[in-house]
Amino acid sequence: MFKEIRLDQIAANPEQPRKYFDEAKHQELVGSIQENGLLQPVVLRPVEGAAAPYMLIAGERRWRACRAAGLEVVPAKVIENIDEERAYVLSIAENVGREDMTIMEEAGAYADLAAAGWDAIKIAKQFGKTETHIKWRLGLLTLREEVSAMVDKGDIKPNLAWHIAQLNPGNQMVAATRYVRGDFDSESDAQHFANGLKMMEKQTTLTNEKAPDAEEQEKRKKAKAKAKDGLGQAEEVLLPLLEELAEKKPEDLAVILGDDLSRHVKVVGKIYSQVQLVRNLLSKAQGIQRAMTADFNKAAVEVQQETAKDKEGAAKEKTETKPAAKKTAAKPAAPRTKTAASAGAKSPARKAPAQKQTAKGGPAKQAKETPKADTTATK
């Protein structure tokens, strides 16, 4: 049974799992309500001691649109004697599966239930989902904010988003940006790239592999040559045969192949199965190779930045040291210049040899004779 409840008596649920409301769809609903009224009632629960006597369990989007449309009352289903956890479960149930509920909002809602003690099996049973679906949604909560926004916008699909979520924050941006930029031929290729980055993070034998010895190098060389020869034969023999068969009409093949038709179906089926398997393996290998290249490039940039930093520090230290050296060298020169000028005679450097050659008492005698010679010169 429904009641007519005034809009000003209804408060929004602060724990509402949906946080994003599309403006265009909101305006579309406003127009529909203005034209036809509210066709689906909102769901409320009574609350005591609050400013508004009722709180929304389900229907916040409709409630918002009714206010915008100018309605004063809305039809509502009021559920009595319901606790907050049960109300929250009903709120999630009303929103899960709706097109306008984002993936990250769904993941956040499941996380709230998990925090309340619900396990993945119980959550899955409650909302008609598989346990894997719940776990994968919960796994998205490790995404950094920028990548979460890409997922909510639909730029990255849930399956790929889960693989990206397994990476550290820096590599999450690498994988997400490259996918959105269109660096990969398919979502599967992007997933293999993300898995390759994860292997780099775990420092598997791929990244720590020692340089192969001569014997190992020779083995790899032969394996590569064999694979190349095999692909060459496929291009020369198998592809032309398949292309020729593809040009025929089914009714023609039924006549041409006759009793051998069943054998062709089996052989081509086996070829198709192996091609799919090898294609998947090669795609994974390509993802690992790309991840290794990205990891190497990242390390190279870090080395370049560190080298540039060291050079800058060395140049700065040299600049600071050079003026100090000049100042130190200039200090001894100043006293010698001043002494020579004040004495008005030959410099001490020229007197030194005479002092060394003079016998005992020589320096004193020379010191007495020098003023006399100066006086005569003055006269």
Side-chain angles (χ1 to χ4, degrees):
M1 185 175 179
F2 302 130
K3 296 181 179 179
E4 293 290 326
I5 306 294
R6 293 207 322 267
L7 285 172
D8 59 8
Q9 292 183 320
I10 302 172
N13 181 3
E15 302 300 327
Q16 160 69 254
R18 286 177 58 196
K19 307 301 179 185
Y20 172 75
F21 295 88
D22 185 87
E23 182 60 27
K25 291 182 179 180
H26 169 72
Q27 293 299 332
E28 182 181 335
L29 182 57
V30 170
S32 175
I33 290 174
Q34 288 175 334
E35 188 69 25
N36 307 303
L38 182 62
L39 302 179
Q40 183 180 357
V42 297
V43 182
L44 311 174
R45 68 183 178 95
V47 289
E48 296 181 2
Y54 298 98
M55 181 176 290
L56 281 164
I57 294 176
E60 181 170 340
R61 180 169 169 263
R62 299 190 294 278
W63 172 68
R64 288 169 177 253
C66 286
R67 290 196 305 173
L71 271 63
E72 294 184 357
V73 297
V74 292
K77 179 181 179 180
V78 180
I79 301 179
E80 305 282 350
N81 301 321
I82 182 172
D83 59 23
E84 291 187 4
E85 182 175 307
R86 181 59 186 165
Y88 187 67
V89 170
L90 292 177
S91 180
I92 297 173
E94 200 260 346
N95 286 292
V96 167
R98 286 181 178 270
E99 184 180 353
D100 52 357
M101 185 180 193
T102 70
I103 295 170
M104 298 309 300
E105 287 174 344
E106 182 186 355
Y110 296 152
D112 288 340
L113 291 177
W118 290 48
D119 60 21
I121 297 176
K122 184 177 179 180
I123 297 173
K125 185 178 180 180
Q126 178 69 43
F127 302 109
K129 306 290 183 179
T130 65
E131 182 182 357
T132 300
H133 176 91
I134 302 301
K135 288 183 176 179
W136 276 54
R137 285 293 187 269
L138 292 173
L140 298 179
L141 296 174
T142 58
L143 287 171
R144 57 186 293 168
E145 186 176 348
E146 301 91 332
V147 182
S148 293
M150 296 179 192
V151 176
D152 270 344
K153 288 169 60 179
D155 294 337
I156 299 176
K157 294 181 180 178
N159 186 52
L160 175 58
W162 185 88
H163 287 277
I164 294 176
Q166 309 310 305
L167 303 172
N168 65 42
N171 281 336
Q172 284 183 19
M173 282 303 296
V174 172
T177 303
R178 289 193 60 173
Y179 176 73
V180 173
R181 193 171 61 194
D183 287 357
F184 306 105
D185 294 333
S186 66
E187 182 180 340
S188 178
D189 288 346
Q191 177 183 319
H192 294 324
F193 174 72
N195 291 339
L197 287 177
K198 187 62 180 177
M199 294 177 71
M200 299 301 102
E201 291 179 3
K202 290 181 177 179
Q203 296 183 342
T204 62
T205 55
L206 283 172
T207 54
N208 293 331
E209 186 179 16
K210 296 180 179 179
D213 55 24
E215 184 179 354
E216 182 63 25
Q217 288 181 357
E218 185 63 25
K219 286 183 180 179
R220 292 185 183 184
K221 185 177 179 181
K222 289 180 179 179
K224 183 177 181 180
K226 184 178 179 180
K228 186 176 181 181
D229 290 342
L231 288 174
Q233 292 176 10
E235 289 179 338
E236 293 175 4
V237 180
L238 185 58
L239 285 179
L241 174 61
L242 294 175
E243 289 171 355
E244 182 181 351
L245 290 173
E247 293 176 355
K248 306 293 184 182
K249 294 180 180 179
E251 53 269 28
D252 294 335
L253 290 174
V255 175
I256 294 171
L257 298 178
D259 295 338
D260 205 31
L261 178 59
S262 296
R263 178 171 173 270
H264 275 73
V265 172
K266 290 180 181 179
V267 171
V268 172
K270 289 181 179 179
I271 292 173
Y272 176 78
S273 177
Q274 289 301 312
V275 167
Q276 288 290 92
L277 175 62
V278 173
R279 173 67 179 85
N280 189 45
L281 288 172
L282 291 175
S283 180
K284 289 180 178 180
Q286 188 177 47
I288 293 170
Q289 188 181 67
R290 285 171 169 171
M292 292 174 70
T293 301
D295 189 63
F296 174 81
N297 291 339
K298 181 181 177 182
V301 169
E302 290 175 352
V303 170
Q304 290 174 354
Q305 290 175 343
E306 189 66 27
T307 302
K309 186 177 179 181
D310 291 342
K311 287 182 178 179
E312 183 181 351
K316 185 177 180 182
E317 183 179 353
K318 186 177 179 180
T319 304
E320 292 175 350
T321 305
K322 196 172 182 180
K326 286 183 178 179
K327 188 174 180 181
T328 304
K331 283 182 178 179
R336 288 199 297 269
T337 304
K338 185 175 180 181
T339 304
S342 60
K346 294 180 180 180
S347 66
R350 292 182 179 180
K351 290 179 180 180
Q355 291 176 356
K356 288 180 180 179
Q357 295 173 3
T358 305
K360 289 182 179 181
K365 184 179 179 182
Q366 185 179 5
K368 291 179 181 179
E369 291 176 354
T370 301
K372 185 177 181 182
D374 290 343
T375 305
T376 305
T378 304
K379 290 180 180 179

